[in-house]
Amino acid sequence: MVLSCFAATGPGPLTYTERTMNSKLYQEIAKENVKVVVSHLKLNRSWMMQQDNGSIHTRKSTSWLS
């Protein structure tokens, strides 16, 4: 699985995993990478994380990412 992101300032780095993606793994990856990506993309404090309606994004346990 490959994950990435983009912003008006450009694309973020790619993150790779060979594990099966579930909401727990998704949250681990987000926790490890969100601050790094925000800094890398030089975003200010007004950025917003958007996700599709995939089941790993809509679990109650991932609400902290919204």
Side-chain angles (χ1 to χ4, degrees):
M1 167 88 45
V2 178
L3 296 104
S4 189
C5 63
F6 61 91
T9 56
L14 298 176
T15 301
Y16 301 92
T17 183
E18 293 186 20
R19 296 168 50 193
T20 301
M21 186 61 66
N22 57 33
S23 62
K24 183 177 179 181
L25 177 58
Y26 176 69
Q27 290 176 76
E28 288 174 18
I29 292 170
K31 187 179 265 189
E32 293 172 4
N33 291 284
V34 168
K35 288 182 182 180
V36 174
V37 169
V38 167
S39 175
H40 173 80
L41 295 175
K42 298 178 174 73
L43 302 177
N44 60 28
R45 292 181 177 246
S46 65
W47 61 273
M48 177 190 308
M49 184 166 176
Q50 296 180 319
Q51 309 170 85
D52 63 17
N53 285 327
S55 61
I56 62 172
H57 303 150
T58 58
R59 301 263 187 240
K60 287 183 182 181
S61 61
T62 61
S63 63
W64 65 274
L65 292 169
S66 301

